[in-house]
Amino acid sequence: MLGFFCTTFMRIHFALTMTCMVNSTALAVRNEAAETAGNSNFSLIEEIDLVSNGQCGSAEDTGQQKVVVDYGGTLVWTSYEQNLIFSGTFWGSVITALPSMFLIERFSLTRVLQIAIAYYTILTVATPFLATHFGYFAVFIARVAMGLGEGFIVPSNNAIIGNWFPSAEKSTALSIFTLGNQVASAGGSPVVAALCASDLGWQATFYFAGILATIWSIIWFFTASSHPSKVKIMTKKEREYLLANTMKKINKTKCSFCITMIMTLFQIYLPAYFKEVLHLGVIANGTYSSIPNIFNMVTKIVWGIGIDKLKEMKILSNTAAVKVSQGAASYGGAFTLFLLAFFVDCSNPTTALIILCGMYATQGTFVSGFYTSLLSLAPQYTATMSAISMFCSLIGSLMTPAVASLMRKEGTLAEWKNIFIILALLHIISGSIFILFGSGDLQEWAKIEENDVELKEKEQLQISEGVKEEDVIRERFESLARIRENSICV
């Protein structure tokens, strides 16, 4: 969870930091000059309408001049350039998402994860230098390179969880693991806002993220293990329990695509919405970005534990549990997005915060929905299925900046209303598909190598207990011979 926090923070803090990096006034002057020259190709995410008498009408309707919210940045990057930077990590992840499964299956999961995060950390710390000396395109290349490492992170995490947690505890484990997302937003946004407003400037946010990731890497190196069989300080009873009840060694990709696209948009562009539509200052922006994630954290943990208890008590089957969870996330999220679209403007920012808290709370249940399903369908192929699912979800992430750029030309209330309506419809469509076709049960085609996997686990246990490796190999050949004889008879 802490490692996931570090990678998420290094990725998403850029959303709020970007509003501090960019010189909104210089961009406004450039935009005005372009419009005067008849050039409509420029677009500003910082340009907003003047609030008059508590109303949020457009400048054209009121006859008043537009104003600009500026957080004191120095970089003159257009909306197109910013969107290109935001898409960088997704481009890199798409490249390595599928190949990652081959390396994860062949090398230590903990070391693969550590190398990926170390790579992430170095590029994060280098970003301020690249931004100030080489411009936006150098930052974009660095973000693409960061994405190459990110393609290994989620499959590695999923495989480690598969090795360590029994099926009955999976929703709780995933809720805790993915909590890193919300901790990064809830705890990170106020810190980023404070650093941006301080004398240290926006550069400090990158160094702060790098320091946290370095501390985690040191702790992880000395404490983490990929599999229970490789841990020395563990009782025999505990090891036998884990080996018997955990995964031996993930398919609803439509759902993954839509959920990832929605969450990516909110992670990247929510600070821009607060700045453009609600007209919040930098400290308030950080606070508003933080609070909804607290509700997500609480819901995720409480719901995950509750769902696991209901499965343990046989009140809900595995499939029913994931469908109920996904239905709550999809339909609840759609309802709150419609409220956000039709009942919020800059005259009632508190209402926007309350609705967003409700939306983030409903999103806390999807981990017990499609994500748990993802890890339950084919336990033997966790890393492979994770990589395939991640590839599909990254297509959604990759499309998000392009769609946002297409629909959000000047950051007006009407543009954001259209975005929220489309997201709500995506929620409804993906949730309906999952409820009709989703499953939380082990699939028949995933059982074909059960005997072979059990043999491997038995070998790991015997070797860890001091049995000679030659004896283990001899017993394996004898067992395989018996399996072949039985197979021929069948």
Side-chain angles (χ1 to χ4, degrees):
M1 189 270 282
L2 292 176
F4 202 49
F5 157 78
C6 290
T7 57
T8 302
F9 183 64
M10 285 188 285
R11 185 180 71 252
I12 70 171
H13 83 83
F14 212 150
L16 181 54
T17 306
M18 182 70 82
T19 63
C20 304
M21 296 168 65
V22 174
N23 187 329
S24 302
T25 305
L27 282 172
V29 172
R30 176 189 289 186
N31 190 64
E32 184 178 355
E35 289 181 352
T36 302
N39 185 348
S40 60
N41 291 328
F42 288 90
S43 62
L44 282 183
I45 72 166
E46 294 80 9
E47 193 176 85
I48 60 174
D49 296 333
L50 181 65
V51 182
S52 177
N53 298 323
Q55 301 299 317
C56 299
S58 66
E60 288 78 7
D61 296 336
T62 60
Q64 296 179 356
Q65 189 176 5
K66 290 182 179 179
V67 296
V68 173
V69 176
D70 195 324
Y71 292 168
T74 57
L75 304 175
V76 185
W77 289 347
T78 66
S79 178
Y80 166 79
E81 292 165 348
Q82 293 173 50
N83 287 323
L84 183 66
I85 291 171
F86 286 143
S87 70
T89 53
F90 306 129
W91 280 111
S93 300
V94 165
I95 295 172
T96 57
L98 292 179
S100 68
M101 61 187 177
F102 299 106
L103 290 175
I104 289 171
E105 292 287 352
R106 288 162 175 77
F107 297 98
S108 167
L109 293 171
T110 55
R111 295 298 165 255
V112 169
L113 184 60
Q114 182 150 38
I115 292 171
I117 294 182
Y119 184 63
Y120 226 83
T121 304
I122 293 170
L123 291 167
T124 296
V125 173
T127 298
F129 178 80
L130 296 175
T132 54
H133 290 78
F134 298 99
Y136 82 93
F137 195 74
V139 177
F140 166 70
I141 296 299
R143 301 290 286 185
V144 172
M146 285 176 65
L148 296 175
E150 186 173 354
F152 293 89
I153 292 172
V154 172
S156 297
N157 281 328
N158 287 345
I160 291 172
I161 286 178
N163 287 341
W164 275 94
F165 291 93
S167 179
E169 302 173 10
K170 199 166 277 79
S171 292
T172 303
L174 287 172
S175 296
I176 295 173
F177 149 54
T178 57
L179 206 61
N181 261 326
Q182 286 66 52
V183 174
S185 297
S189 296
V191 173
V192 170
L195 289 173
C196 283
S198 71
D199 294 335
L200 296 174
W202 58 263
Q203 293 91 338
T205 64
F206 293 92
Y207 304 139
F208 177 73
I211 290 171
L212 290 180
T214 301
I215 294 173
W216 173 86
S217 294
I218 294 172
I219 297 173
W220 180 262
F221 181 81
F222 290 105
T223 60
S225 297
S226 301
H227 196 277
S229 64
K230 298 181 180 180
V231 180
K232 302 299 181 183
I233 49 174
M234 178 185 288
T235 64
K236 179 180 178 181
K237 182 178 179 181
E238 184 178 6
R239 182 182 286 108
E240 289 177 347
Y241 169 77
L242 289 175
L243 292 178
N245 292 279
T246 57
M247 290 184 184
K248 313 303 193 276
K249 218 346 231 177
I250 315 191
N251 167 313
K252 305 300 173 223
T253 53
K254 295 182 180 68
C255 202
S256 179
F257 173 92
C258 293
I259 291 292
T260 305
M261 186 173 185
I262 292 166
M263 297 311 296
T264 299
L265 190 138
F266 274 92
Q267 285 181 342
I268 293 179
Y269 293 103
L270 191 59
Y273 170 74
F274 289 147
K275 183 179 180 182
E276 296 167 0
V277 176
L278 302 188
H279 302 174
L280 300 181
V282 63
I283 299 298
N285 197 326
T287 303
Y288 270 54
S289 298
S290 170
I291 293 175
N293 288 279
I294 297 174
F295 286 81
N296 186 285
M297 285 192 291
V298 174
T299 305
K300 181 182 292 187
I301 294 298
V302 173
W303 186 277
I305 294 174
I307 284 290
D308 279 343
K309 287 294 182 184
L310 292 176
K311 289 189 291 186
E312 184 180 343
M313 297 166 63
K314 307 299 182 182
I315 296 175
L316 287 178
S317 66
N318 290 336
T319 296
V322 296
K323 287 187 176 183
V324 168
S325 299
Q326 192 59 45
S330 296
Y331 298 132
F335 176 71
T336 54
L337 283 166
F338 281 128
L339 292 179
L340 206 59
F342 292 103
F343 296 101
V344 170
D345 58 28
C346 65
S347 65
N348 56 351
T350 303
T351 303
L353 180 60
I354 293 172
I355 294 174
L356 282 166
C357 288
M359 191 203 77
Y360 272 64
T362 62
Q363 299 312 288
T365 67
F366 83 77
V367 171
S368 300
F370 90 91
Y371 204 167
T372 298
S373 169
L374 198 66
L375 293 177
S376 303
L377 298 175
Q380 299 178 42
Y381 310 109
T382 299
T384 301
M385 297 294 284
S386 293
I388 295 171
S389 179
M390 183 182 177
F391 179 81
C392 295
S393 68
L394 284 170
I395 300 299
S397 297
L398 193 58
M399 288 178 60
T400 302
V403 173
S405 179
L406 181 66
M407 299 187 63
R408 184 175 138 269
K409 297 296 184 183
E410 297 190 12
T412 63
L413 178 62
E415 291 172 347
W416 278 101
K417 179 179 179 180
N418 292 334
I419 290 174
F420 292 146
I421 291 173
I422 290 176
L423 293 181
L425 294 176
L426 278 177
H427 256 314
I428 293 171
I429 294 170
S430 64
S432 299
I433 291 173
F434 188 89
I435 288 175
L436 289 173
F437 303 108
S439 174
D441 296 321
L442 176 65
Q443 302 299 291
E444 288 297 325
W445 53 265
K447 299 177 181 178
I448 56 175
E449 296 180 3
E450 191 72 21
N451 290 330
D452 187 48
V453 174
E454 289 177 356
L455 281 171
K456 289 180 181 179
E457 284 191 348
K458 184 178 179 182
E459 289 172 12
Q460 290 175 330
L461 180 59
Q462 289 175 325
I463 292 173
S464 67
E465 293 176 353
V467 179
K468 290 183 178 180
E469 189 171 354
E470 309 91 77
D471 296 335
V472 172
I473 294 173
R474 187 183 305 110
E475 183 179 346
R476 174 169 175 76
F477 277 118
E478 292 173 356
S479 299
L480 287 175
R482 288 193 297 272
I483 291 172
R484 288 192 188 95
E485 290 175 3
N486 293 336
S487 299
I488 292 171
C489 291
V490 173

